[in-house]
Amino acid sequence: MLEDPRKQRVPEIETIDSRVVYRNRWMTVREDRIRRADGSPGIYGVVEKGSFAVIAAVQDDQIMMVEQYRYPVGARFWELPQGSWESTDLDQETLARAELREETGVVAKSMTQVGRLFLAYGFCNQVYEIFLATGLQQRQSDREPEEQGLVSRSYSIAEVDAMVRAGVIVDATTVATIGLLRLKGLL
């Protein structure tokens, strides 16, 4: 039997002290002084970021993708529509619908939550909700200034699979989402 990852566990590391070393409207970086289970001291850097949504918009064996410039790595890449907002009081489905419309102009009749994953829990507490959008209608996109140059287009699911295998799609969130959708029989 598999253990439920949402089950609360007893902490194996004790936080002795915590201080914020950087903060902006999107993230906080903190440094924690810790004590390990064996009593030895250490430090741990943690990036705190709000959750985000990733959307697989699928219709007629086509999946909507976006290509945009990613500043931290200095290049353009194809990925599934995804994003977050500063406001944390919105439910994730509302966020997913808004991000899909904003980035692609697509409105979904149906939005189904498929899963929840951590982005990089070795150093970051950020989680993302995965949604499958169906019953798609094309409307006008509503992009933010940070999304200048964003390109959206549909690819066949077979083309997306080939792009993942060839290393053209390298966004871990996109690859994990496609894999999860496949494992659940939704692609």
Side-chain angles (χ1 to χ4, degrees):
M1 174 104 182
L2 295 176
E3 186 176 336
D4 185 346
R6 296 166 293 194
K7 180 181 163 187
Q8 190 67 288
R9 294 183 177 84
V10 176
E12 296 178 27
I13 298 174
E14 179 185 3
T15 304
I16 304 302
D17 186 44
S18 184
R19 70 182 181 98
V20 172
V21 295
Y22 176 79
R23 175 179 281 139
N24 68 22
R25 65 185 195 160
W26 296 106
M27 70 178 183
T28 298
V29 179
R30 68 173 209 263
E31 183 177 273
D32 294 350
R33 284 189 320 109
I34 62 161
R35 183 176 9 260
R36 295 178 185 88
D38 69 358
S40 63
I43 62 167
Y44 218 106
V46 178
V47 176
E48 297 176 344
K49 287 187 65 107
S51 62
F52 69 99
V54 58
I55 308 96
V58 179
Q59 187 160 295
D60 301 327
D61 197 41
Q62 299 281 310
I63 189 164
M64 181 62 70
M65 302 292 292
V66 296
E67 182 199 52
Q68 61 185 316
Y69 183 78
R70 291 301 192 177
Y71 177 79
V73 292
R76 297 181 68 81
F77 295 99
W78 286 101
E79 60 194 43
L80 291 171
Q82 55 192 279
S84 64
W85 286 350
E86 289 179 67
S87 173
T88 57
D89 57 351
L90 290 174
D91 70 88
Q92 291 297 302
E93 182 179 331
T94 300
L95 172 63
R97 287 182 179 281
E99 283 295 325
L100 181 62
R101 171 77 185 260
E102 179 183 296
E103 292 186 2
T104 67
V106 169
V107 175
K109 182 176 182 180
S110 174
M111 188 74 72
T112 305
Q113 186 194 22
V114 175
R116 181 177 199 249
L117 298 174
F118 284 96
L119 181 67
Y121 58 45
F123 69 90
C124 184
N125 69 349
Q126 189 173 37
V127 297
Y128 59 98
E129 305 289 338
I130 298 169
F131 289 89
L132 175 64
T134 56
L136 309 179
Q137 294 180 349
Q138 186 66 51
R139 304 270 170 82
Q140 193 69 17
S141 63
D142 185 23
R143 296 190 179 132
E144 295 181 344
E146 292 84 8
E147 296 167 330
Q148 291 179 29
L150 184 139
V151 175
S152 65
R153 70 165 279 208
S154 291
Y155 284 97
S156 72
I157 294 171
E159 287 174 306
V160 171
D161 287 345
M163 292 165 74
V164 170
R165 280 192 302 275
V168 173
I169 295 176
V170 294
D171 174 55
T173 299
T174 296
V175 174
T177 297
I178 291 168
L180 186 60
L181 290 168
R182 286 221 175 273
L183 287 171
K184 290 189 173 196
L186 299 170
L187 275 187

